[in-house]
Amino acid sequence: MAKGWESKSVEDQVADRAEEAARTASKGAARLDGAVQREKQSLALQRERILDERTSSPHRRAALAAALTEIEGRLAKLD
């Protein structure tokens, strides 16, 4: 009889550990979603800054165009 109670306790412990692992995984996914959203916002702000910048230098315009292409590529990967 004692053995039966002991095995139920072990089963409960295993179930509790599985539930805790699931909760931890969902918290990790929420943190990851938050990090992705912050990265998207940061890239969008950088993109706006580049689009607002005006310059007469062809070298600077080329650098800005390259940076804009890089930022838009990174944004596309995050979506």
Side-chain angles (χ1 to χ4, degrees):
M1 185 194 272
K3 188 174 182 180
W5 284 104
E6 182 180 310
S7 65
K8 287 184 180 180
S9 176
V10 170
E11 289 173 1
D12 290 340
Q13 290 175 5
V14 170
D16 290 343
R17 286 184 185 156
E19 289 174 13
E20 181 63 29
R23 281 192 296 267
T24 303
S26 68
K27 286 179 186 176
R31 287 186 191 129
L32 182 59
D33 288 343
V36 168
Q37 290 300 325
R38 285 189 298 279
E39 181 70 16
K40 283 181 182 180
Q41 184 179 20
S42 174
L43 290 170
L45 289 172
Q46 291 175 22
R47 183 179 181 276
E48 287 301 314
R49 185 193 58 80
I50 289 171
L51 290 173
D52 288 343
E53 192 163 330
R54 306 279 189 253
T55 183
S56 60
S57 170
H59 296 292
R60 180 73 178 141
R61 275 196 307 265
L64 289 171
L68 184 61
T69 302
E70 170 68 24
I71 288 170
E72 288 176 345
R74 289 172 61 189
L75 278 169
K77 285 181 184 178
L78 290 175
D79 287 334

